[in-house]
Amino acid sequence: MAKSLLIVESPTKVNTLKKIVGKDFIIKASVGHLKDLPKKKLGVDVDNGFAPEYITIRGKGKILQELKNAAKKVDKIYLAPDPDREGEAIAWHLREAIGGDDSRYKRVVFNEITKKAIQEAFSAPTELDINRVNAQQARRFLDRVVGYMVSPLLWAKIARGLSAGRVQSVAVRLIVERDKEIRA
C-alpha cells in the first residue's frame, strides 16, 4: 500500500490536484459535509453535556462508502477540506466516519491550488484543530437550540414557517426594540 488518500471538499479541485500530486495519491471529494444533526429533531442532548447525534446527510451515503473503500487501500489519509471551521468540522467527521487508527490521518491546508501551495501544505501536515471543530459545533448547536426554542414562538405569534437561529433571533430582537421606540 504505497498510495495515500487525499480528501478535498470540492469535486472541482480533484482533476487539478491529480496533475500536481501525481500517481501516488487517490484523490476524492467529500462534496461538503457528510454528517449533520437530524432535521426533524433537536439532535443535541442538552441534559448530557450537549452530546450531538450526528447522522449521515441524506444522499451522502454513497460518497461516504466510496471514501471508506478508498481508505482501505492506503496507508495515509490526508484531509484537505477548506481552511475554515466548517472545513475543520468536515475533516473531523471524515476521520470519525472512516475510522481506523488516528495516526493514519493528517490535515493539510492550502488556500490556492498551485504546485507551490500544495507542496508547502504537504511539507508540513498538521493534526486536526479540535478548537476549530468545537467552534463549529458550538455555532451549530446554538443555531439548533435557539432555533428549536424560538421558531415555534414565531409560528404562534407571527407566521407559520418562519425560522430563527442565533443570527435571526438577534435581528428579530432589534426589530422589536425599534418598533417599541417608534410606538413610544
Side-chain angles (χ1 to χ4, degrees):
M1 282 198 270
K3 286 193 172 197
S4 296
L5 174 61
L6 172 60
I7 305 174
V8 294
E9 198 171 328
S10 170
T12 59
K13 296 176 182 176
V14 172
N15 287 332
T16 307
L17 285 166
K18 281 181 184 177
K19 294 173 191 170
I20 295 171
V21 298
K23 295 179 178 149
D24 290 335
F25 285 85
I26 298 170
I27 306 171
K28 299 281 184 185
S30 70
V31 193
H33 285 275
L34 293 173
K35 299 272 187 169
D36 197 8
L37 302 172
K39 286 184 183 260
K40 302 280 185 195
K41 60 182 185 175
L42 185 60
V44 179
D45 190 347
V46 294
D47 295 325
N48 290 307
F50 290 87
E53 176 192 336
Y54 287 113
I55 61 168
T56 302
I57 295 171
R58 179 175 287 199
K60 297 290 185 112
K62 183 179 177 187
I63 294 168
L64 183 54
Q65 192 56 54
E66 283 179 23
L67 295 172
K68 285 180 178 183
N69 290 341
K72 290 175 187 174
K73 302 174 187 173
V74 300
D75 295 319
K76 282 273 182 217
I77 301 169
Y78 292 93
L79 303 171
D82 293 349
D84 55 17
R85 68 176 177 230
E86 293 296 324
E88 207 69 26
I90 291 169
W92 180 75
H93 282 296
L94 285 166
R95 187 182 72 185
E96 297 294 308
I98 293 169
D101 189 359
D102 283 352
S103 66
R104 293 175 65 199
Y105 294 89
K106 290 293 178 191
R107 178 78 163 108
V108 288
V109 176
F110 41 86
N111 292 310
E112 57 184 299
I113 303 180
T114 62
K115 189 171 186 171
K116 182 181 181 215
I118 302 305
Q119 287 173 338
E120 284 177 11
F122 277 97
S123 71
T126 63
E127 302 299 319
L128 285 172
D129 184 344
I130 201 66
N131 289 329
R132 278 192 172 183
V133 173
N134 290 337
Q136 188 276 343
Q137 283 187 329
R139 185 200 58 77
R140 187 75 183 97
F141 294 177
L142 276 171
D143 275 344
R144 184 55 65 97
V145 172
V146 170
Y148 268 64
M149 295 174 140
V150 177
S151 293
L153 184 64
L154 287 175
W155 301 340
K157 301 292 183 187
I158 300 173
R160 188 92 181 128
L162 295 175
S163 67
R166 63 192 162 82
V167 173
Q168 295 94 332
S169 298
V170 173
V172 169
R173 179 179 177 176
L174 292 171
I175 291 167
V176 169
E177 287 175 354
R178 182 68 180 131
D179 187 61
K180 285 180 180 177
E181 289 174 11
I182 290 168
R183 289 174 192 248

